[in-house]
Amino acid sequence: MESSWARNLDDLRAKVTEVCAALSARAAGYWQLDQETERLVQLGFVPGVGLDRAVGRQFAAATATVPLCQTSLGIVAAALTGQPAVSCVEELPADSGSGRWLRAFGASRSVAVPIHGEGGKIQGVFSVALTADSTLGDRIVAERIRGTLVPRNGWTPP
């Protein structure tokens, strides 16, 4: 018998896939915040259309767990500030953090959105990498991510 945790994890991965496709993102992922270990733990990563498979595997492996001291990553900034973090490739150094990964993805920016749980506490971060072809504004991207993750039918992110 499948546990509710496993069902929620499968549902979460389906949501990541849904958002990635809906936004025509180069990649999308969800990381759960573990306050105790001060880390983000990847629960789902999806390569989008056009992402090199090897790059996708490398990114997934490199971000399986991310310490909150790794502030060059947009997902960490979103987790620490509680606000969406937008990383633009032309504003970032090529050799570290989001700048490195955006270039490897062939993306122009990423939008990392903190996901709040009960009592407004941050429970995770959802991020998408977008190409220059994306005409959606950062605020709209963040709203669409939040709208997709709104608890429905008893489902909440793990």
Side-chain angles (χ1 to χ4, degrees):
M1 176 154 184
E2 186 179 41
S3 71
S4 64
W5 168 253
R7 278 193 307 274
N8 273 357
L9 198 52
D10 288 343
D11 289 346
L12 174 68
R13 289 181 180 138
K15 297 282 185 190
V16 173
T17 301
E18 177 185 334
V19 170
C20 189
L23 296 176
S24 300
R26 188 54 55 96
Y30 182 85
W31 290 261
Q32 184 173 44
L33 178 59
D34 183 339
Q35 290 282 7
E36 194 172 298
T37 63
E38 296 184 348
R39 292 185 169 275
L40 290 168
V41 178
Q42 184 188 114
L43 297 184
F45 172 74
V46 176
V49 173
L51 183 64
D52 178 270
R53 289 178 189 247
V55 170
R57 285 191 300 272
Q58 291 166 5
F59 177 81
T63 62
T65 63
V66 179
L68 293 180
C69 63
Q70 223 172 356
T71 57
S72 64
L73 293 172
I75 58 173
V76 172
L80 293 175
T81 66
Q83 299 296 316
V86 178
S87 302
C88 296
V89 72
E90 71 270 0
E91 298 171 2
L92 299 169
D95 59 348
S96 67
S98 291
R100 173 179 176 241
W101 288 113
L102 287 171
R103 285 172 178 84
F105 285 5
S108 63
R109 66 187 163 117
S110 65
V111 180
V113 180
I115 305 302
H116 300 269
E118 290 183 27
K121 186 176 174 183
I122 297 171
Q123 65 184 36
V125 176
F126 195 113
S127 183
V128 293
L130 302 167
T131 64
D133 295 341
S134 176
T135 59
L136 295 173
D138 301 331
R139 194 180 88 235
I140 291 170
V141 170
E143 287 171 3
R144 290 200 181 165
I145 289 170
R146 286 188 191 114
T148 302
L149 294 181
V150 169
R152 290 188 292 247
N153 303 327
W155 181 84
T156 56

